[in-house]
Amino acid sequence: MNRSAPVPTVVDRFVSMQRRAGNVAVAESMLATGDFLGPLVQRAPVTVQRVALSGDDISALAERMHRAMDRWGTDEEAIFVSLQELDKDAAAIAKLKAAYRTAHAADLESAIRSEMSGTELALALELLGVSGSAVKAAPASDADYKAAARTLHGAMDRLGTDEEAVYSALIPMGRDQMRTAKLSSTYDTEYSGGLTGRGLAADIADEMSSDEAAYALYLLHAPAPRAPTAEVVPGSPGTEEHAGTIPGGKVSVRSGADFTLPSGAAYPGGFTVGYEGALAPDTGWIQFLWSEVVATQADGSSAFVSQGGIPTTKGTMSLTTDPSSPIRTIDSASADDPFYESAGVDIRTPTSTVIYDRPSEFGSIVSAQFDGGATKVVERDHFDQFLVQDYNTVYHTTVVVEWAYTSKTSSTRTTKGGGPGKVSGMPAHFKSVLISLYPKFAYVQ
């Protein structure tokens, strides 16, 4: 849309802000459904209905656990988070044991016992349904929260942190943000800000190693398992630009996707980025964005356009003038959650999550270049999507949307999606942006 319109409506102003959150469609959807809260939009909590893990999902968990043990130094946290997916369900546990034996000719419980000991072994066996009572029920009273806070403080206020005691105290919170907020508040009150004086999260980060802290802070700060949502009516699915797999799941990027909002507003030629797999409730997309505008003059010379102060739901962003050093932001319509699905347009089922986007161009910036004598203006929006499963970044996709203008009103838009594909973590230059904008999500690896 053209931000230079002389009398913008409330819808226009909100859409303008959402444009740089990557989602013009989000604004109309929220307004149409009565969820408009200014730049901060949150959904009512809903109950997550998990589905039975498929054979592929069980095999993926078995492989994840094997990788955690078939290495120099066991990755205990990968074992814990994998076993949590089973919810102590006897049938699922039996299937996991069978899948592990089939794939690796070994008994899973015996393998765990050979790799772990002490409190870490006790916690793993408890999550495997063998024995143990360290993981309590969800807290139901102030006394329960004080007991959990006491466990946490005692686990860290000693020579050598008892990591498993920390996990055992945090797992019952179920990543419910009301519970974890109350636990943090209780801890801070009971122990005057804890060991660091800056609270529970700071104590965890200070007392635990990187992998241990990542898992603990995931339990403390990560969103609860996501529930199914359907915020668009899909039309033509468009063209698949990229496809890939991860253990137990598939990834797809499509361009030219048409969709309609509940309000009836149609958005042709957008793009979608999706994941399919039964671990979907604990899987989501973080989308990064940077933009460039190049103006060509009558003499054939070209230059990047420099402009800052472009509004987003997370402050402002600037156009990139050096593509080798992009100025990135995170494309989320939520002020406190970087995942696109937290407030953006998506369709989520118990076994999939697909994000929809159809960015609009910088109309006023483009017009200003032609007013200044430009004969051609090109805008490119660069999107990087990272698939995060639990606290691990496992896949990276890209989308570039380009508008080539030969006049203020004549342009050609193209969209191209691609890899690179599987990754073993979020690259540092993306992670630094994530931490700066959403510090609670520093646990993402």
Side-chain angles (χ1 to χ4, degrees), residues 363-383:
S364 59
I365 296 176
V366 170
S367 293
Q369 304 313 305
F370 283 106
D371 290 341
T375 58
K376 180 181 178 181
V377 179
V378 176
E379 175 187 345
R380 297 184 190 90
D381 286 0
H382 301 257
F383 300 89

Side-chain angles (χ1 to χ4, degrees), residues 274-308:
Y275 158 82
E276 182 180 350
L279 301 183
D282 296 306
T283 303
W285 293 100
I286 297 179
Q287 180 168 269
F288 293 80
L289 163 68
W290 63 277
S291 298
E292 58 180 320
V293 176
V294 180
T296 301
Q297 304 304 315
D299 63 3
S301 63
S302 298
F304 289 94
V305 176
S306 176
Q307 182 161 329

Side-chain angles (χ1 to χ4, degrees), residues 346-387:
D346 69 298
I347 293 180
R348 178 183 284 279
T349 73
T351 58
S352 67
T353 178
V354 182
I355 63 174
Y356 287 73
D357 204 348
R358 201 301 193 179
S360 62
E361 59 271 49
F362 290 119
S364 59
I365 296 176
V366 170
S367 293
Q369 304 313 305
F370 283 106
D371 290 341
T375 58
K376 180 181 178 181
V377 179
V378 176
E379 175 187 345
R380 297 184 190 90
D381 286 0
H382 301 257
F383 300 89
D384 288 87
Q385 301 89 14
F386 289 94
L387 187 66

Side-chain angles (χ1 to χ4, degrees), residues 209-233:
S209 69
S210 58
D211 289 344
E212 296 163 348
Y215 177 52
L217 292 173
Y218 161 77
L219 295 173
L220 183 65
H221 285 156
R226 307 284 193 181
T229 58
E231 298 168 342
V232 298
V233 179

Side-chain angles (χ1 to χ4, degrees), residues 40-92:
L40 174 61
V41 178
Q42 295 184 347
R43 298 174 179 148
V46 290
T47 301
V48 175
Q49 298 295 326
R50 286 186 177 272
V51 299
L53 298 178
S54 70
D56 285 345
D57 297 311
I58 292 292
S59 295
L61 291 176
E63 186 59 31
R64 183 196 288 181
M65 295 191 66
H66 180 70
R67 290 198 306 269
M69 294 183 281
D70 187 28
R71 48 171 279 175
W72 177 258
T74 303
D75 186 348
E76 294 88 359
E77 289 68 38
I79 293 173
F80 299 145
V81 77
S82 299
L83 292 176
Q84 276 185 263
E85 297 283 0
L86 306 177
D87 287 331
K88 293 187 179 181
D89 179 76

Side-chain angles (χ1 to χ4, degrees), residues 43-267:
R43 298 174 179 148
V46 290
T47 301
V48 175
Q49 298 295 326
R50 286 186 177 272
V51 299
L53 298 178
S54 70
D56 285 345
D57 297 311
I58 292 292
S59 295
L61 291 176
E63 186 59 31
R64 183 196 288 181
M65 295 191 66
H66 180 70
R67 290 198 306 269
M69 294 183 281
D70 187 28
R71 48 171 279 175
W72 177 258
T74 303
D75 186 348
E76 294 88 359
E77 289 68 38
I79 293 173
F80 299 145
V81 77
S82 299
L83 292 176
Q84 276 185 263
E85 297 283 0
L86 306 177
D87 287 331
K88 293 187 179 181
D89 179 76
I93 291 171
K95 290 178 181 178
L96 177 64
K97 289 180 176 179
Y100 192 90
R101 180 177 292 280
T102 298
H104 303 291
D107 178 72
L108 177 58
E109 182 180 334
S110 297
I112 291 173
R113 288 181 181 276
S114 69
E115 293 288 330
M116 306 173 79
S117 62
T119 56
E120 64 188 24
L121 174 61
L123 177 58
L125 292 178
E126 182 172 352
L127 295 174
L128 193 61
V130 177
S131 61
S133 58
V135 179
K136 310 297 183 184
S141 66
D142 288 347
D144 291 339
Y145 282 100
K146 288 181 180 179
R150 184 165 56 252
T151 296
L152 288 165
H153 188 263
M156 293 184 285
D157 187 23
R158 46 172 284 174
L159 181 61
T161 300
D162 184 349
E163 293 87 2
E164 286 67 43
V166 173
Y167 306 150
S168 296
L170 294 175
I171 288 173
M173 303 299 148
R175 300 191 343 252
D176 179 290
Q177 297 303 295
M178 293 184 66
R179 288 177 185 156
T180 55
K182 183 173 176 61
L183 175 63
S184 295
S185 176
T186 301
Y187 182 91
D188 293 354
T189 299
E190 291 292 303
Y191 299 102
S192 302
L195 306 176
T196 60
R198 303 192 309 276
L200 176 57
D203 282 4
I204 289 172
D206 189 63
E207 292 292 324
M208 304 176 79
S209 69
S210 58
D211 289 344
E212 296 163 348
Y215 177 52
L217 292 173
Y218 161 77
L219 295 173
L220 183 65
H221 285 156
R226 307 284 193 181
T229 58
E231 298 168 342
V232 298
V233 179
S236 169
T239 301
E240 188 168 66
E241 301 274 353
H242 175 80
T245 62
I246 60 172
K250 298 184 293 184
V251 172
S252 177
V253 180
R254 290 181 172 272
S255 65
D258 302 335
F259 57 94
T260 303
L261 300 184
S263 66
Y267 287 86

Side-chain angles (χ1 to χ4, degrees), residues 2-9 12-13:
N2 187 340
R3 271 178 289 273
S4 63
V7 186
T9 65
D12 290 335
R13 283 195 294 268

